[in-house]
Amino acid sequence: MSWLVRIAAPLLVVLAGCSAPAPSPQFHADTNPQLLSEWGQVTIAGDALQVGENVVIYDLNTPLFTDYALKLRTIWMPEGLEAGYREGDTLDFPVGTVITKTFFYARTDEDGVVGRGDGHAPVTPDGRLDLSQVELVETRVLVHRETGWAAVPYRWNEDQSDAVLHRVGDVIPLRLAGDDGSVQAFNYVMPDVNQCASCHAPDSNTRAIAPIGPKPRHLNRDFEYPEGVRNQLAHLAEVGFLSGFPGAGDAPRNADWLDPGEPLEARARAYLDANCSHCHSPVGPADTSGLNLEPDIAHGPALGFCKLPIAAGAGTGNRRFDIVPGEPDHSILLYRMDNIEPDEMMPELGRSTIHTEGVELIRDWIASLPGGCG
């Protein structure tokens, strides 16, 4: 996949001998610290970003696209607490859980230009990231308090020494390198506290903020830990962060959308699940659309096949149906993905660029579908 920045071995540097002790993670029950380092989840140690003591890095089979950013995801719970396994939902995390996601880009040879990433977590097994090779942008904290989940955004400062509480969001001009030598200028949009609920309130009935990524089907994959390669769910169970895990073979698993060895259908459905189903579900914020993009929905109108749009507005692009099997260019779904106009694009938030490779995947999938809409 040459169009993505693959972090090479020099970036995955282990700072042996000169590394600082891992910080002690903290649960802040009712206050939001001014500095990210006060959480002790991810902090700067010398010339590396490192995770705190007993903080577990995790990754997703197919991640959400965010303007080609790379992402470091972590989970931590105070001693003695564990999450409960839930097959079709996020893990049942207890009060005291802290989840973080750090967004960053790989630097290029050209000053001020960043590389395109694949949304994964390119770190050493012990959770270190060489700061000379990356530009940190923001870290989002989700903390489970007695009153429910709270979203706390932090913006990394210019000298990359810490991230500062930034409730109002930000617009960050960036320049993105392309494979052909081109450079694309775009605005990376850091959401404000209220905008976090646009994605992290997956139930439109309660509107409660909740995690959306740590579901068994996303987590059921291998990851390289200091002790060696291990299934992520099994690792969480082994370190005492998860109970009720039935085993990797009995847990659902989404495909890796970048793996050409996996079926096209599985890759496309995993991509739509990761990028769309937290809104497009029977109870999601986009429930009025009538479109359900969860991975177990059969081919048919609920998945958008030959379904007339209900709430697309100007986003139809003068197309009649959400998905026209065999005809991607006549499908509203693809039109909205291949768009950056505010009243036409999907997802509505979280990107300012078109995910060219994701559009190509969904185009190929729709083209492979038999039928048409008559």
Side-chain angles (χ1 to χ4, degrees):
M1 299 294 173
S2 61
W3 41 265
L4 292 173
V5 171
R6 294 298 189 182
I7 305 300
L11 176 59
L12 303 183
V13 61
V14 178
L15 304 179
C18 61
S19 60
S24 297
Q26 303 294 322
F27 167 58
H28 295 274
D30 50 22
T31 60
N32 296 324
Q34 185 66 20
L35 297 177
L36 177 65
S37 57
E38 295 179 63
W39 289 94
Q41 310 292 323
V42 290
T43 59
I44 302 301
D47 54 357
L49 180 74
Q50 69 172 5
V51 299
E53 185 178 8
N54 298 323
V55 172
V56 175
I57 297 174
Y58 72 95
D59 204 358
L60 308 179
N61 283 311
T62 292
L64 173 72
F65 171 75
T66 308
D67 286 331
Y68 291 102
L70 295 158
K71 302 175 185 179
L72 172 64
R73 304 166 178 87
T74 70
I75 294 172
W76 174 79
M77 292 168 235
E79 187 175 356
L81 297 182
E82 60 184 7
Y85 178 86
R86 296 192 294 197
E87 183 159 305
D89 202 348
T90 55
L91 303 180
D92 188 12
F93 293 105
V95 170
T97 302
V98 181
I99 298 174
T100 77
K101 183 160 61 172
T102 298
F103 297 70
F104 60 98
Y105 289 89
R107 301 181 189 274
T108 68
D109 294 335
E110 184 176 350
D111 188 40
V113 177
V114 297
R116 294 191 294 173
D118 60 7
H120 287 296
V123 293
T124 58
D126 61 348
R128 295 180 182 275
L129 183 66
D130 182 1
L131 292 178
S132 69
Q133 300 295 309
V134 302
E135 181 175 343
L136 304 173
V137 179
E138 63 164 321
T139 294
R140 303 175 190 176
V141 175
L142 275 178
V143 54
H144 197 185
R145 293 169 169 154
E146 291 287 353
T147 54
W149 288 91
V152 192
Y154 289 83
R155 171 78 165 94
W156 282 90
N157 55 22
E158 288 190 13
D159 65 7
Q160 306 277 274
S161 61
D162 210 333
V164 181
L165 183 64
H166 208 83
R167 293 177 173 275
V168 298
D170 206 352
V171 177
I172 304 161
L174 292 174
R175 299 168 66 212
L176 192 67
D179 279 349
D180 58 359
S182 64
V183 175
Q184 174 188 0
F186 75 100
N187 289 325
Y188 179 100
V189 179
M190 177 183 173
D192 61 37
V193 170
N194 293 328
Q195 288 174 318
C196 292
S198 298
C199 288
H200 282 279
D203 189 329
S204 59
N205 297 311
T206 66
R207 298 301 298 161
I209 291 178
I212 56 177
K215 300 174 182 175
R217 64 180 181 265
H218 298 313
L219 296 173
N220 191 3
R221 56 166 289 162
D222 288 344
F223 192 82
E224 186 177 359
Y225 301 99
E227 303 79 14
V229 175
R230 193 80 174 97
N231 178 274
Q232 291 187 137
L233 290 167
H235 180 75
L236 288 171
E238 288 168 358
V239 299
F241 278 5
L242 179 61
S243 64
F245 174 50
D250 293 318
R253 178 190 172 276
N254 267 10
D256 175 353
W257 78 283
L258 285 173
D259 185 355
E262 303 226 40
L264 175 61
E265 166 83 12
R267 293 165 55 213
R269 297 296 297 273
Y271 184 90
L272 293 175
D273 181 23
N275 286 274
C276 312
S277 74
H278 50 277
C279 285
H280 285 281
S281 75
V283 298
D287 56 353
T288 57
S289 70
L291 182 63
N292 188 345
L293 296 176
E294 293 178 310
D296 58 348
I297 302 303
H299 288 190
L303 188 57
F305 287 29
C306 303
K307 184 186 81 63
L308 294 169
I310 296 174
T316 64
N318 295 318
R319 290 152 175 79
R320 290 189 61 201
F321 302 109
D322 289 351
I323 294 177
V324 181
E327 300 182 41
D329 290 328
H330 292 162
S331 300
I332 296 171
L333 176 71
L334 191 71
Y335 174 78
R336 303 198 76 173
M337 289 178 59
D338 196 15
N339 206 312
I340 54 172
E341 293 299 321
D343 59 346
E344 298 181 1
M345 64 185 283
M346 279 289 172
E348 295 176 312
L349 295 174
R351 69 175 179 92
S352 300
T353 60
I354 294 172
H355 191 195
T356 304
E357 300 76 24
V359 169
E360 290 176 355
L361 172 69
I362 301 305
R363 177 185 296 278
D364 290 345
W365 173 60
I366 295 176
S368 74
L369 300 170
C373 294

